[in-house]
Amino acid sequence: MLLALSILWILPAGCGDLGNGQADSGRKNPQLNGETLEVHFIDVGQGDATLIQQGDHALLIDAGDNDKGTALQSYLQHQGVEHLDYAIGTHPDSDHVGGLDVILYKFSWDQVILPDLEKDTKTYQDVIRVIQDKGKEITYPKAGTVYSLGSAEFTVIAPAGEDYGDNWNDYSVGILLQFGETRFVFTGDAEEDAEQDMLAEGIDLSADVLKAAHHGSDTANTMEFLEEVKPRSVVISCGEGNSYGHPRAGAMNNFRSIGAEIYRTDEQGTIVAVSDGEKITWNCSPSESWKAGEPNGSGERKENTEESPDLQAEESLRGQGNEAENYVINTNTGKFHRETCGSVEQMQEENKEYSSLSPQELEAQGYEPCGRCKP
């Protein structure tokens, strides 16, 4: 990794002074009197954490995995953060809210925005417990709600639907951040269904910068959504050599198709964008590799390990050469998938059932084949 977490505030190798300005976006610019907006896409490995600063105001979106809380605390302190106006935990996965309990405990804050989900994972409950200990309430997102952040503002754009079943990713809190003429879109791990619902809301999603959904997964970042946002730059937050294969080739092809410049934490460490309200400058040049990840199938959510006491036994059985388990059934949705399907990594472990039956036999039992991997 180019950037050690213990010294997160140091620019990674290859990054220099702020440069690479972008052209005027053509939207109306209020008088900002020389103010700036800073967006820090913080390198937390395979996870998400974004710090947004406007003057003395600060917003944190996600906080990396469980072991990143203290390093993230140090990063925020080095940036002069003493108080957070807002902290957003996009959804309960540990690589997004794992370090959030540390941040909420160590800093004062005004509002915490979380999706309206009841999850009993230890990671998520640690976050809830800190909020309760401080005697505060959770703010639940409502699409279209606008919040101020100094001279900037952000609009909640997701979740725009109400029921995504057991797909936690689609409940992700998404926002559109505007400062002067410049705009940034963040959608957590929202996938295709959630993107479709955002489009249906009719909110203008056009932006200069998109933080790639779900670490650059091909279950998100659809062409229809990208063509609506029309980002000039896409930032991918993922870990070097991660087992999920992020960013996926399909997503990278989509980013290339719309002509976007790519920035990625696995190659460039922490990435900082600074807006003066008219143009955006970066602390490093865009990535030129266009290299997609290589999934190896060993990635797992830490919450799932906590939630499923049978998981270790199940994985042990699979590791003993049980090659007949060719399909994964989602017992909640009734669909079956190839083991390499991107949807499998999103299932809760208690909803997974491994089967060596043929697709025809599974369909005869009433199961439906996945429309993505087409088993």
Side-chain angles (χ1 to χ4, degrees):
M1 183 62 61
L2 293 172
L3 191 62
L5 282 168
S6 60
I7 50 171
L8 273 170
W9 54 85
I10 298 178
L11 291 177
C15 293
D17 295 334
L18 295 171
N20 308 308
Q22 292 188 349
D24 193 318
S25 64
R27 287 180 283 267
K28 185 178 179 181
N29 181 20
Q31 185 61 40
L32 295 174
N33 297 318
E35 297 180 69
T36 60
L37 175 84
E38 295 186 9
V39 181
H40 301 244
F41 301 90
I42 304 169
D43 177 15
V44 289
Q46 183 61 21
D48 271 11
T50 304
L51 170 66
I52 299 165
Q53 293 178 285
Q54 203 293 297
D56 294 330
H57 301 274
L59 158 65
L60 181 69
I61 305 175
D62 288 331
D65 221 323
N66 290 281
D67 59 349
K68 302 301 189 296
T70 301
L72 185 59
Q73 174 194 347
S74 298
Y75 186 91
L76 267 60
Q77 290 172 334
H78 186 79
Q79 299 305 319
V81 175
E82 298 180 353
H83 175 83
L84 291 169
D85 295 59
Y86 309 93
I88 297 176
T90 58
H91 63 296
D93 281 353
S94 66
D95 59 329
H96 291 255
V97 300
L100 192 57
D101 57 332
V102 173
I103 300 302
L104 296 181
Y105 179 77
K106 294 292 186 180
F107 293 87
S108 62
W109 43 271
D110 293 328
Q111 290 190 63
V112 170
I113 301 175
L114 300 173
D116 190 4
L117 289 172
E118 294 183 4
K119 296 299 176 184
D120 59 1
T121 63
K122 181 179 184 301
T123 293
Y124 198 57
Q125 289 305 311
D126 285 345
V127 175
I128 302 302
R129 190 173 300 110
V130 174
I131 296 171
Q132 293 173 340
D133 288 347
K134 292 205 171 188
K136 299 210 176 185
E137 299 291 330
I138 298 170
T139 297
Y140 296 117
K142 182 178 180 181
T145 306
V146 179
Y147 297 88
S148 63
L149 184 71
S151 296
E153 66 177 26
F154 64 91
T155 302
V156 175
I157 59 175
E162 295 182 358
D163 186 4
Y164 296 108
D166 67 347
N167 189 345
W168 296 6
N169 290 340
D170 277 342
Y171 291 97
S172 290
V173 179
I175 69 168
L176 186 153
L177 173 71
Q178 178 147 1
F179 180 68
E181 301 170 358
T182 58
R183 290 155 62 104
F184 299 74
V185 164
F186 306 83
T187 60
D189 276 2
E191 298 185 334
E192 183 174 357
D193 288 346
E195 290 182 349
Q196 288 297 315
D197 287 338
M198 281 184 261
L199 295 174
E201 281 292 299
I203 298 173
D204 177 11
L205 298 176
S206 62
D208 304 281
V209 179
L210 171 68
K211 194 203 144 293
H214 197 191
H215 319 286
S217 172
D218 53 7
T219 61
N221 307 293
T222 60
M223 279 301 299
E224 186 175 359
F225 187 76
L226 293 175
E227 287 170 351
E228 180 68 22
V229 179
K230 299 183 289 290
R232 298 174 179 176
S233 303
V234 173
V235 180
I236 303 169
S237 180
C238 63
E240 183 178 16
N242 68 85
S243 59
Y244 300 102
H246 296 151
R248 293 289 183 90
M252 294 298 283
N253 289 338
N254 288 351
F255 299 148
R256 187 191 291 266
S257 294
I258 63 170
E261 293 182 333
I262 300 298
Y263 297 85
R264 43 194 293 179
T265 61
D266 62 333
E267 293 182 350
Q268 298 166 287
T270 293
I271 296 162
V272 183
V274 178
S275 167
D276 64 5
E278 295 182 353
K279 63 180 182 297
I280 298 170
T281 54
W282 301 81
N283 70 331
C284 53
S285 300
S287 169
E288 297 181 355
S289 74
W290 292 98
K291 181 181 178 181
E294 298 179 3
N296 60 34
S298 64
E300 298 168 4
R301 293 286 186 228
K302 291 188 177 181
E303 292 101 340
N304 292 340
T305 303
E306 296 167 353
E307 289 182 304
S308 177
D310 296 328
L311 177 61
Q312 291 182 347
E314 181 179 82
E315 289 300 318
S316 175
L317 177 63
R318 294 176 66 200
Q320 291 173 7
N322 189 358
E323 298 179 358
E325 296 177 332
N326 296 322
Y327 300 102
V328 182
I329 300 169
N330 186 328
T331 57
N332 185 60
T333 64
K335 293 184 178 181
F336 64 94
H337 309 255
R338 297 181 190 277
E339 289 188 292
T340 56
C341 179
S343 297
V344 171
E345 69 187 51
Q346 306 311 318
M347 294 180 199
Q348 297 182 50
E349 287 296 330
E350 63 264 32
N351 293 332
K352 290 182 182 179
E353 180 179 314
Y354 296 87
S355 176
S356 60
L357 296 177
S358 70
Q360 293 77 15
E361 290 172 319
L362 289 170
E363 288 188 61
Q365 293 188 6
Y367 294 111
E368 180 183 349
C370 169
R372 288 176 178 157
C373 65
K374 296 180 173 56

